[in-house]
Amino acid sequence: MLKFYNALRVFLLGLLLLGSWPVQAEQENAMFEQVSALFKEASFDKTQQAVDLLAASGDAKAVPYLQALLDGELYQHKEQGTVVIVQADQIKNAVSGEVIAATNKDDYRKISTNNSLRKYVRGKLGGLSLSHPDAAIRLQSAS
């Protein structure tokens, strides 16, 4: 009888954890949509707010996103608002990392930064790297 209750407890815990996954995905999507809306306003203050949202999320996707902003490779579609990373001749969705095929770079505007914002982004990237789940990245960030 004790084995049955233990098995039931494990099963119910699994259901509870599985049920929280869609909520997390919805919250993540909402956060990236909010970041996109802030970038669309094209001001350094709004960009800093977007950086704060990305850093506070702790999401591993935030690191390449912020690094692209720092490297001057982060762009936003002028009409759709989609945020992308432009590297050489390749355009990738900043959230999913998927390559976007047959796109004209002129349809995108660069998300600009200034020296103060770049310094701010470096600090946030350092914080994200120190709390990264990969121990090698944490160690590299600490040294």
Side-chain angles (χ1 to χ4, degrees):
M1 191 69 162
L2 184 61
K3 286 183 180 182
F4 171 76
Y5 285 117
N6 284 339
L8 182 63
R9 198 174 342 173
V10 169
F11 175 73
L12 291 175
L13 180 62
L15 283 177
L16 181 66
L17 292 174
L18 184 62
S20 69
W21 181 77
V23 172
Q24 263 185 322
E26 285 178 30
Q27 289 173 342
E28 180 181 294
N29 288 339
M31 186 267 304
F32 282 112
E33 286 174 17
Q34 193 174 5
V35 166
S36 179
L38 287 167
F39 282 144
K40 199 164 193 150
E41 294 191 34
S43 83
F44 293 130
D45 289 338
K46 297 296 181 181
T47 300
Q48 184 171 337
Q49 288 177 17
V51 169
D52 286 337
L53 278 173
L54 287 165
S57 74
D59 192 322
K61 296 176 191 172
V63 174
Y65 207 107
L66 291 174
Q67 189 62 52
L69 177 62
L70 191 61
D71 296 341
E73 298 174 340
L74 201 62
Y75 287 72
Q76 187 170 38
H77 194 276
K78 292 176 184 173
E79 293 176 15
Q80 297 170 353
T82 308
V83 180
V84 298
I85 298 172
V86 177
Q87 296 172 324
D89 293 335
Q90 191 177 55
I91 298 176
K92 295 189 295 184
N93 183 299
V95 177
S96 67
E98 294 176 15
V99 175
I100 299 173
T103 301
N104 185 355
K105 188 178 172 184
D106 293 336
D107 292 339
Y108 296 87
R109 71 163 189 83
K110 185 176 182 176
I111 298 172
S112 21
T113 60
N114 58 17
N115 288 338
S116 175
L117 188 56
R118 280 189 289 277
K119 181 178 179 182
Y120 190 76
V121 172
R122 277 189 212 94
K124 294 295 182 178
L125 270 171
L128 279 171
S129 297
L130 285 172
S131 61
H132 198 278
D134 186 348
I137 292 174
R138 287 194 311 268
L139 184 62
Q140 180 184 8
S141 177
S143 56

